[in-house]
Amino acid sequence: MPKIKTNSGSKKRFALTGTGKIKRKHAFKSHILTKKSTKRKRNLTRTGLVDKSDMNNIRLLLGMK
């Protein structure tokens, strides 16, 4: 069988943790920041984890399955 190619966009956006979970960044932090509160912008800075229901699709994009 041929190798599965990694999706270039997803390898820039996602990272694996040591336990096998997938880290992601929050959306809505790139522009039009003046109308957003400081607390909201601060919370968007932190990384989150990919939801369990999306995990298989992202693993395919990263060429892990």
Side-chain angles (χ1 to χ4, degrees):
M1 280 187 55
K3 294 181 181 178
I4 299 173
K5 284 193 174 182
T6 303
N7 183 282
S8 296
S10 59
K11 71 182 174 188
K12 296 170 193 170
R13 288 171 170 81
F14 300 106
L16 280 174
T17 63
T19 57
K21 296 175 184 172
I22 301 174
K23 287 193 299 186
R24 66 172 178 86
K25 291 184 179 176
H26 285 279
F28 308 110
K29 183 85 188 341
S30 58
H31 60 97
I32 315 175
L33 299 173
T34 53
K35 64 175 78 170
K36 295 169 186 155
S37 69
T38 310
K39 179 180 178 182
R40 182 174 165 192
K41 289 185 280 191
R42 184 173 61 245
N43 288 333
L44 289 173
T45 301
R46 302 184 185 130
T47 57
L49 292 175
V50 170
D51 194 65
K52 193 167 57 174
S53 59
D54 299 323
M55 195 79 79
N56 286 336
N57 290 333
I58 293 171
R59 282 186 182 276
L60 281 174
L61 289 172
L62 294 173
M64 295 173 61
K65 207 166 189 184

